């Protein structure tokens, strides 16, 4: 059990959508199936199809709750993923660019000779 908690913590630290998306999808799917079940059950209970169906409670509270939980889990996962990406951007080490070579000013006569040799070799 400790290993599973460790794996879950690592996934939450680096890729939280891999944890939140399956949960959100599961709750959304269950809520969608429950909505369909509620609508089919309503049509089986009533034999007449008139405007009074618009005023009856069709969708159950549990279906709405599951859909909202799925939506909230998805949104929390997206926020967590955004936070992880933002933190990763700020902690990225700055690598110097090697695209442009800028010679530094030599501080000693020996360094000045080396810079002259390098510049003459490039020509």
């Amino acid at each position: 059990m400790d290993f599973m908690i460790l794996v879950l913590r690592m996934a939450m630290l680096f890729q939280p959508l891999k944890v939140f998306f399956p949960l959100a999808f599961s709750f959304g799917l269950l809520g969608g199936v429950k909505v369909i079940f509620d609508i089919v059950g309503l049509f089986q209970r009533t034999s007449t199809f008139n405007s009074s169906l618009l005023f009856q409670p069709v969708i159950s509270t549990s279906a709405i709750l599951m859909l909202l939980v799925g939506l909230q889990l998805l949104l929390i996962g997206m926020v967590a993923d955004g936070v992880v990406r933002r933190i990763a951007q700020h902690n990225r080490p700055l690598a110097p660019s090697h695209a442009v070579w800028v010679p530094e000013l030599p501080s000693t006569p020996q360094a000045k000779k080396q810079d002259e040799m390098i510049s003459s070799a490039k020509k």
Side-chain angles (χ1 to χ4, degrees), residues 31-106:
V33 168
K34 181 71 169 122
V35 166
I36 293 171
F37 180 75
D38 289 342
I39 292 172
V40 168
L42 173 75
F43 287 134
Q44 287 179 350
R45 286 191 310 262
T46 60
S47 59
T48 60
F49 299 107
N50 54 21
S51 63
S52 67
L53 289 177
L54 296 174
F55 302 108
Q56 295 181 8
V58 177
I59 300 174
S60 65
T61 307
S62 61
I64 294 172
L65 185 66
M66 282 190 269
L67 288 172
L68 288 177
V69 166
L71 179 67
Q72 285 181 341
L73 283 173
L74 181 65
L75 292 176
I76 290 170
M78 292 176 76
V79 167
D81 190 57
V83 168
V84 165
R85 289 178 190 266
R86 182 76 172 174
I87 290 171
Q89 266 184 342
H90 286 290
N91 289 341
R92 186 174 40 179
L94 297 175
S97 174
H98 297 290
V100 178
W101 181 73
V102 179
E104 296 178 7
L105 295 174

Side-chain angles (χ1 to χ4, degrees), residues 103-115:
E104 296 178 7
L105 295 174
S107 58
T108 63
Q110 185 180 9
K112 188 174 183 179
K113 279 185 182 179
Q114 287 176 351
D115 284 341

